[in-house]
Structure formats: C-alpha cells, structure tokens
Amino acid sequence: MKNKVELLVKELIKVGGIIKSFSGDIRLISHYDADGIASAAIMVKALAREGKSFHLSLINQLNGNFLKDLGREGRRMIIFTDLGSGYLENIQNHLMKDGDTKVIVLDHHQSEGEVRSKNLLHVNSEDFGITEHISGSGIAYLLARAMNPDNRDLSELGIIGAIGDSQIGSIGESWGLLGLNKEILKDAELSRKIRVKKGLRLWGRYTRPVHKTLQYSVDPYIPGISGSESASVQFLQELGIELKDKERWRTLADLTDEESKKLASGIIAERIRGKHMNPEWIFGDTYELLDKKGELRDANEFATILNACGKMGKAYMGIAFCLNDADHSEARNILNSYRREIGKAMAWVYKNTNSIKRTDNAFYLFGGSSISEHVISNVVSIINKSCLDLDGVANDVCEKPIFAFADTEEGDVKVSARVSDSLVEKGVDLKDIMVRVTMDIGGEGGGHKGAAGARIEKDHEDRFISSVEKILVKKDLNKTEQKTQIDIHNSERGERYGTAESERIRTQREGEERGEGEAKETGEGSEEVEGKGLVRYFDS
C-alpha cells in the first residue's frame, strides 16, 4: 500500500500547488451527505488558510442541468469533492469549452468517462489501486495536508467522513478503521483531535437512553434483547443498572466503569445463551472528538448528525458543526427531525405492502411521493441490512437486490439500490447495473457495487425494472441459498430486525440513522497498515 499512497500524495501535491498559485475566486461543489459535508469543510478551512475566496454549494445530485448552470457562471477554477468521477464527460462538455477553466475532481467513487482535457485534474483513489478504506473526505484531507502541514488538524474531519461513509470494518474480533483511514486516524490522534478507546460498539453513546441503545442494536446482536424495548429495560434492571438519573435518561456515556463491565458481561452471557459464534466479539474502537461537546463528541454520532443536516435541508449547519461554529444543542433538534422522517417512511412501507413488487431476481419498492427522496436511501438500507420481511410471503430480501423509487422535487424519479455483500461476491455490481440501465432508458446512474443510485424520468419505472431484470437473470442469483436468518418482531413499533448467524456476524450499520454505503469486512491487505500517520509521505 505504501507505494500506492506515495503516488497518490505526489499527485495531490501537484494539485495543491496549482490551487495555491491560483489568484481568482474558486467554486467548490460537494455532496450533501456526511462524507461530502466533511470533505467540503476540509476544503473550506484549507482555502481560507490560504487566503482564497470561494463559493460553496452542497448538492444532492450532480447532473447535466446543474453543470449547465455552473458553466454559465464563468468560473476559472472549480473543485468537486466526494463526487464528479461518474460525470467526467459531462464536466468536460459543460465546464471546459473555453479551455481556460481548471476543474479539480477529488473522489473515491468509480469513474465513468475519460479525461480528455489537460485542465481536468481528476484525482480518484481507485486510479492508484486504493479501492477501499478511503473516503471522499480522506482524499480532501490528503490534499489539504499537501497544501500545508498545518492542516493536519483537519484529519479529524477525514475520519468523521469515513465513518459517515460506513467504512468501519473488522478483521476477526478487531473492529475499527482500516487501511489508509487508519493512517489518517494517526494524524488525528497526534493532533489531539481524536482519542481512540476500546469499548462496546453500541451506537448512541451520547444521544440515546441505554435501553434504547440495546433495543436498536443490530451488530452486536443481543438475543432476546435486540428489537424489544421492554426486554432491554428488564435486562438492565436485572444487571442493577439504573435507567435514570433523577428525571434524565442515562446514556452509555453516563455509566460508571463498573456498570460498563456489568453490561458487557451481560451481553456476552446473552450471546452465549443464544449460541452465537464468537459471543465476545462485541468490542471495538470508539472515537471521541476532543474538541466537540455533547451530542457531537462521538464520531459515529457526529457523522449521523452531518447526514441529518444534509437530508433535512440544512447542510450549511453541518459545515458549521464541522468548523465548531454552531450551537451543539441545535444538533439534537435536527437529528430528531431526521429520525421522525425516517420513522414516518418506514411506517408507510409497513402499511403499504402493495407498493412492493417481488420478482425472481429482485425487490422493487415504489415510494412515489409518500417517501422523501432524501430518506429513500435510508429506507432501502434498513430493509437490506436488517433483512426485513417486506411482503409477508418469505423473508428473502437479503438474498436479492432491492431497488426503491421516490419522486424528486425536480419532477423526475430517484432510484436507490442496495445488495448484500454475499451477492456482491457472486458478481452483482449495482453501479454497473445503474450505468447500463440509464444508458438504455435514459437518466443518470452511478455509485458502488453494493450501494448505488440513479435518476430516471417520471413513469419510466417499468422500463427500468425490465432492463434490470434482463441483467440480473444472467447472474442466476438463486443457485445458492443464504445460510440462516432470524427475525425478531417488535410489536410496539411493527419493525422487524434480522441477523445472519453463520460462522460470524456480518458487520452492519444502523441504516435508520445513516443509510449510506456498506460496512465491509476485510482482511486482505490490511496487515500492511502501520498506523504511523502520514508524515512519511510528506516533507513535514
């Protein structure tokens, strides 16, 4: 990996020099999810430190219409972060006709198109053989670090973006950031921005009551506890752990060391009783943000709040949170609104099972105008990661890709798709499917193998499905069956959670809050990580 990183850094040093020597206004475009917001915040800080003037836009989708409008602005330098690689042809067609505009694309998604102009500086980690464990914000951080060694303090944002992009993975019982992300993490530790500790890998350390944290825990899965609020409350009471401090619900962060040990022992005991393989695999790295307070102190929760800001139309607040320029109490309000929107969407799915179409090869969910385009990816992630029973016929959603449609504010249709890691290993590539289908029926598509999206014209859903089916039927997805599935029904909310109990438990993320990307379990190549930081790749 060292040689690959050296080549990537060398290219970013060149790009950094071009930015520093540019004297005009800079146009900055980034995606509106957690990784995109963190990427933008890094560039905002790095450009400000260089005394550059800039104009930032955080967008839901890069498309031809946006690029046409951007081209009319007449900018001489445009920087894209966490998007752009899938639109190289459109970028060159709409932004580089006069030959005087320099465009910089910093991305980690799969590329589409060829670089034809010398003024298009396309820096994508995949082009350097780094295909995982690096996010858009990671690439942005490496550029900022190349521009000025004082930007090392921005490594914290590179880690937040990676976590928001679901890049925490595992090797055996070790659970945390891997690969190049681990090198960036070392910079964050040396800058005294992040403290890494071993702890229970439960989401909601600062934001959820302890019993709610247990109720919603999917990985680690707790037999008899996960999915049930009443069982979670009883479990804590039996352990002698108080749920409240006077009138305030206690969180994981409020527990004493002794209570945390009791909780860990209790969870392991329940997993042993449930005959889980490796029942003690409940620990992992936790990432504490030392310059943040309250809800923003845990990196996982911070990333979720950034996602919420983008999806709730307040991406600018995400930038402010990243730059410590906003009241952290506002974060809870945004997060609560986000959860309500997702909860409303999931309730609609359960009440409208006739909106789901099942074929031999896939599931299709028609959200129409009832599910917001901003949370359709969360909905499809929840269904995919938790193996939810969609239609009461058979719980085999984990064995098939799922595609979901939602009307957009612009009048077209957003498509969000997810597929399990096992199907990716069988050769299913959602990014390839999205690109091929939109080339066939019109529209734009892209993403990753396991998580992808597209935009198509209204009323083209049937054509989309027909084209997808032609591709999937050749994959013969039904030739083997997934090993096991377990469903737990929560009667209070009508939700179902699932887990695969095979030789180990899949690394999952809480799609309810995050909804983007897939956490991956990877061993090969990760042993090369030294965790010494990036100083050996730079002069200082």
Side-chain angles (χ1 to χ4, degrees):
M1 187 176 79
K2 184 177 179 181
N3 290 338
K4 297 175 182 178
V5 177
E6 286 175 343
L7 292 173
L8 173 60
V9 167
K10 183 179 179 180
E11 182 67 15
L12 288 168
I13 290 173
K14 182 182 81 173
V15 172
I18 292 171
I19 294 174
K20 292 177 72 171
S21 64
F22 181 75
S23 58
D25 293 338
I26 297 174
R27 193 69 163 91
L28 180 59
I29 314 294
S30 195
H31 194 224
Y32 79 151
D33 68 357
D35 192 19
I37 291 173
S39 302
I42 289 169
M43 292 309 303
V44 164
K45 198 71 173 179
L47 293 174
R49 286 173 175 174
E50 296 295 329
K52 304 296 184 183
S53 59
F54 56 86
H55 174 197
L56 168 66
S57 293
L58 295 156
I59 64 174
N60 174 9
Q61 179 84 12
L62 190 61
N63 55 43
N65 289 334
F66 178 86
L67 291 171
K68 287 178 185 177
D69 291 341
L70 184 60
R72 295 187 187 102
E73 294 182 12
R75 305 283 180 166
R76 290 177 49 238
M77 177 171 282
I78 302 170
I79 301 174
F80 293 93
T81 60
D82 194 39
L83 43 66
S85 286
Y87 300 87
L88 297 179
E89 292 295 336
N90 277 332
I91 285 173
Q92 290 169 106
N93 291 337
H94 296 302
L95 303 181
M96 310 184 73
K97 292 180 180 179
D98 60 7
D100 192 39
T101 300
K102 288 191 180 296
V103 177
I104 297 167
V105 175
L106 308 172
D107 205 351
H108 67 122
H109 299 98
Q110 293 183 36
S111 300
E112 189 72 26
E114 298 292 331
V115 175
R116 296 179 277 100
S117 171
K118 64 180 181 180
N119 285 333
L120 174 57
L121 305 172
H122 179 227
V123 185
N124 187 301
S125 53
E126 290 201 346
D127 293 340
F128 296 85
I130 304 170
T131 58
E132 58 185 353
H133 306 310
I134 185 65
S135 62
S137 55
I139 301 293
Y141 167 66
L142 293 177
L143 173 61
R145 180 79 164 78
M147 291 171 64
N148 188 333
D150 290 343
N151 289 330
R152 192 167 72 174
D153 63 336
L154 302 179
S155 53
E156 171 190 46
L157 297 175
I159 294 306
I160 291 168
I163 291 172
D165 204 48
S166 296
Q167 293 196 10
I168 289 179
S170 63
I171 305 175
E173 62 180 312
S174 298
W175 188 89
L177 292 165
L178 304 169
L180 189 47
N181 284 327
K182 194 169 184 178
E183 302 289 271
I184 297 172
L185 175 63
K186 191 62 179 179
D187 275 9
E189 291 182 273
L190 292 172
S191 301
R192 297 185 178 181
K193 289 289 187 176
I194 291 181
R195 179 187 294 131
V196 183
K197 292 181 179 180
K198 292 291 183 182
L200 287 168
R201 60 175 200 260
L202 296 170
W203 197 95
R205 191 167 304 276
Y206 292 92
T207 59
R208 272 185 173 162
V210 181
H211 67 284
K212 285 291 187 181
T213 295
L214 299 180
Q215 176 188 350
Y216 291 122
S217 182
V218 175
D219 180 20
Y221 172 70
I222 312 168
I225 308 298
S226 296
S228 172
E229 182 176 15
S230 59
S232 299
V233 169
Q234 182 180 347
F235 175 63
L236 291 168
Q237 290 173 338
E238 290 175 352
L239 292 175
I241 296 175
E242 293 291 334
L243 275 70
K244 282 189 171 184
D245 180 5
K246 295 181 180 178
E247 296 301 315
R248 186 179 66 85
W249 291 106
R250 300 178 75 203
T251 67
L252 277 177
D254 295 323
L255 301 187
T256 65
D257 289 344
E258 184 62 30
E259 286 175 320
S260 295
K261 290 176 183 177
K262 281 184 181 180
L263 180 59
S265 297
I267 292 173
I268 292 172
E270 292 299 325
R271 285 165 61 84
I272 291 172
R273 188 174 294 113
K275 298 181 180 180
H276 271 260
M277 295 290 290
N278 307 307
E280 73 284 1
W281 287 12
I282 62 173
F283 304 100
D285 288 341
T286 63
Y287 306 99
E288 183 182 4
L289 308 178
L290 300 179
D291 62 340
K292 303 292 189 290
K293 296 179 181 179
E295 290 87 349
L296 305 180
R297 198 159 178 88
D298 181 87
N300 280 277
E301 293 171 54
F302 191 102
T304 297
I305 289 167
L306 293 189
N307 241 344
C309 288
K311 299 298 181 69
M312 299 307 296
K314 296 186 177 182
Y316 64 93
M317 286 297 298
I319 297 291
F321 288 135
C322 287
L323 302 180
N324 293 328
D325 197 26
D327 183 355
H328 74 87
S329 62
E330 180 64 19
R332 183 179 291 274
N333 295 331
I334 295 173
L335 185 57
N336 287 339
S337 296
Y338 183 48
R339 286 173 173 164
R340 284 194 295 270
E341 191 70 22
I342 295 169
K344 184 171 68 174
M346 289 304 301
W348 183 89
V349 171
Y350 278 109
K351 291 178 181 178
N352 295 273
T353 56
N354 60 342
S355 67
I356 299 157
K357 178 177 181 178
R358 168 199 294 267
T359 71
D360 290 340
N361 302 296
F363 283 93
Y364 301 92
L365 169 63
F366 297 86
S369 60
S370 299
I371 299 179
S372 166
E373 63 172 300
H374 304 298
V375 299
I376 191 66
S377 61
N378 301 77
V379 170
V380 76
S381 288
I382 294 170
I383 294 169
N384 172 250
K385 294 177 184 180
S386 300
C387 302
L388 297 181
D389 185 354
L390 286 177
D391 56 9
V393 177
N395 184 26
D396 57 350
V397 67
C398 290
E399 301 173 21
K400 299 177 181 180
I402 176 168
F403 299 83
F405 304 93
D407 295 344
T408 73
E409 295 162 1
E410 290 78 19
D412 54 6
V413 174
K414 179 177 179 178
V415 188
S416 188
R418 297 291 184 271
V419 69
S420 66
D421 291 342
S422 61
L423 289 182
V424 171
E425 292 171 2
K426 285 184 179 181
V428 176
D429 184 339
L430 291 180
K431 187 261 184 180
D432 177 67
I433 290 173
M434 291 298 195
V435 170
R436 290 169 61 185
V437 170
T438 52
M439 286 180 65
D440 178 32
I441 72 168
E444 297 171 330
H448 304 281
K449 290 182 178 180
R455 291 218 171 198
I456 61 175
E457 288 186 31
K458 183 76 172 172
D459 299 324
H460 279 202
E461 292 92 333
D462 287 342
R463 291 184 62 196
F464 179 94
I465 291 172
S466 177
S467 187
V468 168
E469 289 291 313
K470 289 176 183 177
I471 296 171
L472 290 179
V473 74
K474 297 178 181 179
K475 297 291 183 183
D476 192 14
L477 302 183
N478 300 311
K479 60 185 176 184
T480 59
E481 295 182 358
Q482 193 164 338
K483 292 182 179 178
T484 54
Q485 294 177 344
I486 295 176
D487 288 332
I488 297 146
H489 183 65
N490 174 2
S491 60
E492 295 178 2
R493 291 186 59 188
E495 296 177 356
R496 293 185 180 177
Y497 299 81
T499 182
E501 272 192 326
S502 51
E503 293 185 284
R504 61 168 274 94
I505 301 170
R506 290 178 56 212
T507 302
Q508 296 175 327
R509 302 299 297 273
E510 286 204 40
E512 180 175 349
E513 266 79 24
R514 200 66 50 76
E516 304 295 334
E518 296 272 338
K520 295 183 180 180
E521 178 187 333
T522 306
E524 185 177 353
S526 297
E527 68 275 5
E528 299 178 22
V529 174
E530 299 177 61
K532 294 180 179 178
L534 294 161
V535 66
R536 66 188 188 277
Y537 300 112
F538 297 91
D539 293 334
S540 58

